[in-house]
Amino acid sequence: MAYSSSNRIDSASRVIAASPKTIYQAFMDPAALSSWLPPEGMSAHIDLLEPREGGAYKMTLTYESEHSNLGKTSENTDVSEGTFLELVPNTKIRLSVQFDSEDPTFSGEMIQTWYLEAVLEGTKVTIVCEHVPEGIRKEDHEEGLDSTLENLAQFIEK
């Protein structure tokens, strides 16, 4: 896989009132992951999840309402797949992400790294996306990352 031609990096972070282990486990369970990962206005279906280094994953995100942007794969879906590049229990999850799209502005490999850092209030979760495809608007992506972190906090803190 070739990296996206973009050198753009998008990121977001949030402190969540839970241990790094609890958050890490929420990433390893397909049912949990599909409930908190999709940004507001979307739902997810985990088609494949092999949470081990070198393991594959495939996910379909579906837009649930009228959305100003069309999906990357079809009118209302974004299908992404990739590989778990690095798993450091309770500390770091690093993935390759490739979108299933005929639009070349979404081609190439994006690297997404989740950092889990224990802090006094719980865990600081930071998502760093490298080589973000140029077809993804920066403001939309950052809003989506923030929404995902909000969902994770609600899922964990309930």
Side-chain angles (χ1 to χ4, degrees), residues 116-131:
L116 310 177
E117 177 189 354
V119 295
L120 190 59
E121 303 87 357
T123 302
K124 181 179 180 186
V125 180
T126 302
I127 311 167
V128 178
C129 300
E130 302 170 81
H131 308 289

Side-chain angles (χ1 to χ4, degrees), residues 47-69:
D47 304 298
L48 173 67
L49 187 70
E50 301 170 337
R52 58 177 169 72
E53 287 189 15
Y57 74 89
K58 183 174 182 182
M59 176 177 52
T60 302
L61 292 172
T62 302
Y63 293 93
E64 295 182 325
S65 58
E66 291 300 316
H67 197 267
S68 60
N69 299 325

Side-chain angles (χ1 to χ4, degrees), residues 68-150:
S68 60
N69 299 325
L70 295 176
K72 296 169 192 64
T73 307
S74 73
E75 187 174 315
N76 69 337
T77 62
D78 291 347
V79 176
S80 63
E81 56 188 307
T83 306
F84 286 91
L85 301 174
E86 185 179 7
L87 290 171
V88 181
N90 314 324
T91 305
K92 182 178 179 184
I93 300 163
R94 189 165 186 253
L95 310 155
S96 75
V97 179
Q98 194 157 26
F99 294 101
D100 177 2
S101 179
E102 293 182 11
D103 184 338
T105 66
F106 297 113
S107 68
E109 179 184 32
M110 179 174 73
I111 301 299
Q112 187 177 80
T113 307
W114 293 69
Y115 297 96
L116 310 177
E117 177 189 354
V119 295
L120 190 59
E121 303 87 357
T123 302
K124 181 179 180 186
V125 180
T126 302
I127 311 167
V128 178
C129 300
E130 302 170 81
H131 308 289
V132 178
E134 61 190 43
I136 300 173
R137 289 183 27 186
K138 186 171 185 69
E139 48 281 2
D140 291 343
H141 197 212
E142 290 175 348
E143 182 180 318
L145 294 173
D146 287 340
S147 178
T148 292
L149 288 172
E150 170 68 24

